[in-house]
Amino acid sequence: MKLINTEINYTDKTLIKWDDKFLIGIPVIDEQHKKLIQLCEDFYQALMAGKEKTDWQDSLTAALKNCVDYVRFHFSSEEKLMLACGFEFYSQHKIQHEDFIRKVLELSSSSNSWNYKSAMEFVFFLYNWILTHIGHTDRLYVKEPKEYILKQNQK
């Protein structure tokens, strides 16, 4: 299953939309993944809408803040679920989350000096990371949380 678009095309009207192929089978996390994908699309749309304007950076700043805030919330949710179910590789997964947040904050700290192309490259970085995380990394931990949720629902 190919999830990642490696071609940067600055004219596509839509970067990404939710597809059930992204489902991992944990409803609360699937809903958050839908939101992450929508935020990535919103970020892309903010750039596309401002492409011909000089104030596109205002749209970028707002979309970036929304995306970072929600990513933090989502990672916290995943990590709480992993801890609750005793996921063996919690520490490694948490490190991936921390590395991503650090990289996003590092890259976004210079967003005031981005040109349009570098802003679009950042959107594609987010896009590829989110899809890799949903399409591969998160699929590695779903067994334990699903079993945990099933047991909780049977109580």
Side-chain angles (χ1 to χ4, degrees):
M1 162 174 38
K2 183 179 179 190
L3 294 176
I4 299 174
N5 176 7
T6 55
E7 299 293 319
I8 297 179
N9 184 344
Y10 300 107
T11 59
D12 288 345
K13 292 191 187 301
T14 301
L15 177 65
I16 186 170
K17 62 182 180 177
W18 177 259
D19 188 295
D20 285 348
K21 70 184 174 188
F22 303 135
L23 290 169
I24 63 168
I26 302 171
V28 67
I29 300 299
D30 286 332
E31 286 303 313
Q32 291 175 10
H33 286 165
K34 285 180 188 178
K35 176 80 173 174
L36 284 171
I37 286 173
Q38 185 58 54
L39 285 169
C40 188
E41 177 64 19
D42 292 348
F43 199 165
Y44 177 76
Q45 291 302 323
L47 284 174
M48 293 302 286
K51 188 160 100 172
E52 305 301 324
K53 301 176 188 170
T54 57
D55 63 348
W56 60 268
Q57 282 191 318
D58 292 338
S59 298
L60 170 83
T61 301
L64 180 58
K65 182 181 181 334
N66 289 339
C67 192
V68 169
D69 289 347
Y70 197 79
V71 165
R72 284 184 168 151
F73 165 75
H74 169 65
F75 286 172
S76 176
S77 296
E78 277 190 356
E79 291 164 10
K80 286 176 186 169
L81 183 57
M82 287 178 195
L83 283 173
C85 72
F87 179 60
E88 180 180 0
F89 301 104
Y90 165 78
S91 295
Q92 293 93 321
H93 202 91
K94 183 171 176 54
I95 288 169
Q96 290 179 354
H97 288 169
E98 290 168 350
D99 288 346
F100 176 72
I101 293 291
R102 188 173 20 264
K103 178 81 170 171
V104 166
L105 292 175
E106 177 185 306
L107 290 170
S108 65
S109 68
S110 63
S111 64
N112 289 339
S113 63
W114 287 351
N115 61 26
Y116 186 80
K117 184 177 184 225
S118 56
M120 192 60 77
E121 287 169 351
F122 183 76
V123 170
F124 275 82
F125 160 76
L126 287 176
Y127 164 84
N128 285 319
W129 196 93
I130 288 169
L131 290 187
T132 299
H133 196 74
I134 292 170
H136 175 70
T137 310
D138 280 355
R139 292 180 188 282
L140 298 176
Y141 86 88
V142 297
K143 182 181 177 210
E144 290 91 342
K146 281 181 177 179
E147 290 170 356
Y148 172 79
I149 291 168
L150 184 61
K151 286 178 188 173
Q152 294 300 309
N153 289 341
Q154 291 175 350
K155 289 183 179 181

